[in-house]
Structure formats: structure tokens, C-alpha cells
Amino acid sequence: MRKYEALYVLAPNLTEEEIKANVEKFKNVVVNGGGEVENIDEWGKRKLAYEINHVNEGYYVLMNFSANSELPMELDRVLRISDSVIRHLVVNLQK
């Protein structure tokens, strides 16, 4: 199992319940795929460095997890098709 880090930015107009549901949804993608979530750090609403689709801020979430090499591709696919995600990045932490 390799260590990965996923950072995603959710739309700022989501309610608190919708944010929690999205965080749980992406966590379940990792757990159901055979991975192990080590840490989820919700940074909260922050100003974006640049405007994306006429939006100036977003809700940042950082998730550290361990998984096999196929799981990050599945997580990336799920993040890409989610309407509530503005931007995302999944990174392998091992060299």
C-alpha cells in the first residue's frame, strides 16, 4: 500500500450537511476500494488564489490515505464528475 494525499475544493454555497455528505462520500470511495483513510483535515472556507467559474472562495478538504495503485485513479474519477467539487488534486507521497 502506498501513501496518497487528496486535496479538493468544494463549492462555497453548499450547506454544512452537504459538505459533510461530500466528505463522507469521498472517504467511502477510499474505504470501499480497499484503502485506509489516515486523516481528514477540513480547512474550511478560504479565498481562492484566482477566480474559478465566477467563484472567489471554496471549502478546502485535505485527505491522507493509503491504498493500492488503482484506487487514486478511481478517486480522481469520482472527484472529477462531482458537481460540488471546484478543483481537486491527488498526489502520491512516496518517491
Side-chain angles (χ1 to χ4, degrees):
M1 294 252 248
R2 296 179 179 165
K3 293 189 181 282
Y4 294 93
E5 181 175 87
L7 177 67
Y8 52 93
V9 183
L10 298 173
N13 59 352
L14 298 176
T15 66
E16 193 171 320
E17 293 142 3
E18 291 172 326
I19 290 171
K20 296 290 181 199
N22 277 296
V23 170
E24 192 65 28
K25 172 182 161 184
F26 303 133
K27 176 184 172 187
N28 287 335
V29 169
V30 173
V31 172
N32 294 338
E36 179 182 318
V37 175
E38 296 168 3
N39 184 32
I40 296 179
D41 190 12
E42 296 185 32
W43 295 354
K45 274 191 185 176
R46 293 179 177 229
K47 188 169 174 64
L48 299 174
Y50 55 90
E51 189 175 285
I52 302 171
N53 296 334
H54 307 292
V55 177
N56 291 325
E57 63 180 11
Y59 191 89
Y60 284 73
V61 180
L62 176 69
M63 177 171 61
N64 296 355
F65 62 97
S66 298
N68 59 21
S69 59
E70 292 85 29
L71 186 62
M73 290 184 288
E74 175 63 16
L75 179 61
D76 184 59
R77 185 189 70 79
V78 172
L79 288 165
R80 191 178 307 122
I81 63 175
S82 297
D83 291 334
S84 58
V85 176
I86 298 173
R87 285 282 190 271
H88 71 280
L89 181 65
V90 181
V91 179
N92 183 350
L93 294 178
Q94 296 175 339
K95 294 184 180 185

